[in-house]
């Protein structure tokens, strides 16, 4: 029979909401079940009752009762291309969920998982959602996209009506989308905007976006805001990015345009031949869709934050970046 666990909060989990702490450590535990355990006092922090929005601190002890969850789903292994292999689509989707109700699902998409199909894409979210068709035959619908190599917030509608409302919110820019990135060098000034025109072009390595002239055929306006949150000397910076428009690869191209490309970007990271990639940092795209604030189809607002992927958390730890600085 399973026993009660007592788990210590790690140093790199300072300021994390309790519900997000559980999502990281027990992804198979449903939101409703978590709320029930909190209300009944079965989950406690340092012996006291807690709520889902309680902020945890390093060294605190979390009491965890026996959890009635699928043992295959409850895993501390982060989702990657390798850990997803051989697993059912529905099981993988369940581990990705950070918020859900009768109209909306918010996923934390892992880096490397495509949102839609394309050349060389064997598995993608749109196809995986077939596993979640409801009794009426409705399949959850995508309402926006993320690049394959970008991790983080992905909003999906459960119904046709919700899809219409959410798509409208994205189209009319009635949303707030915040991204985190780690870039080479430190932008000056530390806060500002990038306004350009972007155009898609064909290259031997596939489609690539480039800076275009105003009025150039096929070029679209792209506007992004940025802010330096922290830095490592003049070598690297942690940026908070907010795209006002939603062009393909917009933030990645704008980072390069500032001469501060995003670390690990397979398409747009450029550097001189004498520059060495920092040891201990994985050569994977360091761009994460961290937060979204969007009107709920039923009224009110959805405000969700996605935990960092493993490779970015590793870089944050190496560089001494404290993600609790930007937690609400």
């Amino acid at each position: 029979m399973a026993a009660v666990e007592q788990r210590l909060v790690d140093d790199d989990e300072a300021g994390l909401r309790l519900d997000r702490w559980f999502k990281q450590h027990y992804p198979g535990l449903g939101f409703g079940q978590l709320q029930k355990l909190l209300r009944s006092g079965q989950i406690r922090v340092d012996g006291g009752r807690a709520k889902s929005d309680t902020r945890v601190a390093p060294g605190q002890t979390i009491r965890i009762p026996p959890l009635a969850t699928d043992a295959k789903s409850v895993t501390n292994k982060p989702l990657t291309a390798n850990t997803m292999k051989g697993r059912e689509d529905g099981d993988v989707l369940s581990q990705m969920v950070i918020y859900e109700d009768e109209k909306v699902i918010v996923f934390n998409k892992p880096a490397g998982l495509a949102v839609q199909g394309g050349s060389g894409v064997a598995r993608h979210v749109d196809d995986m959602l077939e596993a979640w068709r409801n009794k009426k035959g409705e399949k959850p619908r995508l309402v926006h996209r993320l690049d394959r190599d970008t991790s983080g917030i992905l909003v999906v509608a459960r119904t046709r009506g919700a899809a219409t409302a959410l798509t409208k919110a994205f189209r009319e820019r009635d949303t707030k989308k915040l991204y985190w990135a780690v870039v080479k060098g430190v932008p000056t000034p530390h806060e500002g905007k990038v306004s350009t025109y972007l155009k898609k072009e064909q290259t031997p390595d596939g489609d690539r976006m480039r800076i275009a002239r105003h009025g150039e055929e096929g070029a679209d306006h792209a506007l992004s805001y940025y802010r330096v949150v922290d830095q490592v000397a003049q070598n690297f910076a942690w940026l908070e990015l907010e795209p006002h428009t939603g062009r393909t690869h917009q933030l990645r191209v704008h980072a390069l345009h500032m001469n501060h490309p995003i670390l690990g970007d397979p398409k747009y990271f450029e550097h001189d031949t004498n520059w060495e990639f920092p040891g201990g940092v994985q050569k994977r795209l360091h761009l994460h869709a961290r937060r979204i604030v969007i009107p709920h189809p039923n009224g009110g607002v959805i405000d969700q934050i996605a935990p960092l992927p493993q490779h970015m958390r590793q870089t944050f730890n190496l560089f001494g970046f404290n993600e609790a600085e930007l937690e609400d």
Side-chain angles (χ1 to χ4, degrees):
M1 182 175 177
V4 171
E5 287 187 78
Q6 302 285 346
R7 294 190 62 162
L8 289 177
V9 177
D10 293 336
D11 289 343
D12 62 358
E13 295 170 336
L16 199 64
R17 281 172 53 123
L18 187 58
D19 54 358
R20 295 181 186 125
W21 185 92
F22 269 92
K23 196 64 186 177
Q24 287 186 21
H25 292 275
Y26 300 92
L29 181 66
F31 180 77
Q33 185 182 359
L34 174 62
Q35 295 302 309
K36 183 177 180 180
L37 293 171
L38 287 167
R39 285 195 302 269
S40 62
Q42 295 183 65
I43 291 175
R44 291 177 176 262
V45 177
D46 280 349
R49 286 179 176 265
K51 296 182 179 180
S52 60
D53 60 356
T54 296
R55 301 284 177 174
V56 299
Q60 285 186 320
T61 300
I62 300 178
R63 179 191 188 275
I64 302 156
L67 301 176
T69 54
D70 182 353
K72 285 181 65 179
S73 297
V74 179
T75 172
N76 288 327
K77 293 182 179 180
L79 283 175
T80 65
N82 287 330
T83 62
M84 287 189 292
K85 286 180 180 178
R87 294 179 58 184
E88 299 281 344
D89 286 344
D91 181 33
V92 173
L93 291 174
S94 293
Q95 189 172 340
M96 288 165 50
V97 173
I98 55 177
Y99 171 85
E100 63 178 321
D101 58 33
E102 74 282 0
K103 294 291 182 67
V104 182
I105 310 167
V106 181
F107 291 120
N108 183 14
K109 185 190 80 67
L113 177 62
V115 172
Q116 291 181 300
S119 178
V121 175
R123 194 179 196 184
H124 56 87
V125 175
D126 193 31
D127 187 51
M128 293 168 68
L129 288 170
E130 290 286 350
W132 279 11
R133 283 190 180 273
N134 61 23
K135 293 180 180 179
K136 297 180 180 179
E138 286 185 305
K139 169 190 165 185
R141 296 167 168 84
L142 298 172
V143 293
H144 71 127
R145 293 184 60 181
L146 279 183
D147 294 344
R148 180 175 185 171
D149 294 319
T150 302
S151 59
I153 295 282
L154 181 69
V155 180
V156 173
R158 284 192 183 275
T159 66
R160 184 184 300 275
T164 299
L166 293 169
T167 301
K168 180 180 178 183
F170 279 105
R171 184 177 62 247
E172 297 183 355
R173 299 168 189 163
D174 191 19
T175 63
K176 182 176 183 179
K177 295 180 288 182
L178 295 177
Y179 289 70
W180 284 2
V182 181
V183 302
K184 177 177 177 282
V186 181
T188 302
H190 280 193
E191 188 170 352
K193 69 178 181 180
V194 183
S195 179
T196 70
Y197 286 82
L198 298 180
K199 180 178 180 178
K200 182 183 292 186
E201 63 179 1
Q202 301 288 329
T203 74
D205 297 324
D207 290 344
R208 179 184 169 101
M209 303 300 290
R210 66 168 174 83
I211 302 297
R213 301 184 310 275
H214 177 44
E216 188 173 342
E217 184 179 356
D220 294 310
H221 181 240
L223 176 62
S224 306
Y225 295 90
Y226 74 90
R227 179 167 70 92
V228 176
V229 181
D230 202 353
Q231 64 190 79
V232 180
Q234 293 300 313
N235 299 323
F236 306 100
W238 163 18
L239 301 187
E240 182 179 64
L241 302 164
E242 183 175 357
H244 181 70
T245 53
R247 311 304 178 198
T248 301
H249 298 172
Q250 175 177 319
L251 297 177
R252 299 162 67 178
V253 178
H254 277 175
L256 176 62
H257 183 62
M258 291 193 293
N259 294 317
H260 299 290
I262 299 173
L263 291 189
D265 192 326
K267 282 184 179 287
Y268 303 102
F269 186 81
E270 297 178 359
H271 56 83
D272 61 69
T273 55
N274 294 322
W275 192 84
E276 293 186 3
F277 205 83
V281 176
Q282 296 185 42
K283 290 186 178 180
R284 304 180 67 187
L285 180 65
H286 283 60
L287 179 63
H288 178 66
R290 174 65 173 182
R291 181 180 182 183
I292 193 163
V293 182
I294 186 171
H296 193 286
N298 287 351
V301 172
I302 298 170
D303 185 349
Q304 290 295 314
I305 290 176
L308 284 172
Q310 185 182 33
H311 71 281
M312 285 188 67
R313 185 178 295 277
Q314 178 179 325
T315 300
F316 269 48
N317 289 338
L318 181 68
F319 289 168
F321 295 155
N322 181 10
E323 62 182 285
E325 289 181 27
L326 286 187
E327 293 284 0
D328 289 341

